[in-house]
Amino acid sequence: MIEELLPPGVASSEAFDDEAPAVLFAAEAALMEGRRERRRAQFATARACARRALAGLGREPVALLPGPGGAPQWPSGVVGSITHCEGYRAAVAAPAGVVAALGIDAEPAGPLPRGVLGLIASAGERAALASLAAADGSVPWERIFFSAKEAVYKAWYPATGVWLGFRDAEVVLSPAGTFRAVLRPPVPVPVPVDPVYEGRWLAGGGLVLTVVARTVAGRAAGPAAAQATAGSAAP
């Protein structure tokens, strides 16, 4: 599913279950000590997806440990993102000289838990979501909205090192499968960055996927990288 949302030059891998054995590096396995088996399997599959994405760029497999803010630390010269939810794991990676910021998120397509929307959305955003729902109630707009904000943060934080709250990104969804986010960081940003992020969304198979992929200014994304996909079938 995820490759439908990605620009050329971004390698991806996805899985819909944890049946295939996935071997962790020792440092990664140490992070999972004491965790439930289900969580360990989910983590291992997501890391396996990440290593397949790296292989699509011709890079060797490495341990991907969380850095500041919890984002995975990718090898030098690579930007990437990992996501996992019930029934889905995925990872994407691209050369840093081609893609400047990359964030993906996956969510179950059901409604948000009660009270969450009021915490993450402004009055204007809630009104826009209500209009979308009135026009097409079959689309999980609130969940797409939540996922879009997650993808924006995953693209934003590794590029800037600045924490961003849900209310610091004003997101507008389009029925055409795109979204736009205007960011208002709470503190000065130490690097020059365009505060407008564009993204794409997809809903299907009980899932919602969102992607933010900002290419480096003045550079084409280049030829499509090999797309590696886990062996399990999509639901």
Side-chain angles (χ1 to χ4, degrees), residues 186-229:
V187 298
V189 180
V191 294
V193 61
D194 184 344
V196 178
Y197 276 30
E198 305 284 348
R200 301 180 66 194
W201 64 265
L202 176 68
L207 295 168
V208 163
L209 302 181
T210 54
V211 168
V212 172
R214 172 176 285 175
T215 57
V216 174
R219 290 284 302 276
Q227 300 294 315
T229 305

Side-chain angles (χ1 to χ4, degrees), residues 12-36:
S12 70
S13 176
E14 61 186 3
F16 296 88
D17 57 50
D18 299 314
E19 291 183 2
V23 178
L24 292 173
F25 282 81
E28 294 171 328
L31 292 175
M32 291 292 103
E33 288 183 3
R35 302 291 187 93
R36 292 182 300 174

Side-chain angles (χ1 to χ4, degrees), residues 108-112 128-145 173-178 201-204 207-210:
L112 286 175
L129 290 171
S131 295
L132 289 169
D136 187 351
S138 67
V139 178
W141 296 110
E142 292 183 2
R143 185 68 74 163
I144 296 168
F145 176 81
L173 302 179
S174 166
T178 62
W201 64 265
L202 176 68
L207 295 168
V208 163
L209 302 181
T210 54

Side-chain angles (χ1 to χ4, degrees), residues 76-94:
S76 177
V78 173
V79 294
S81 186
I82 297 173
T83 188
H84 48 77
C85 70
E86 185 66 31
Y88 189 77
R89 299 85 172 89
V92 295

Side-chain angles (χ1 to χ4, degrees), residues 54-73:
L54 284 172
L57 302 180
R59 303 293 292 256
E60 295 294 323
V62 295
L64 296 169
L65 303 177
Q73 298 182 88

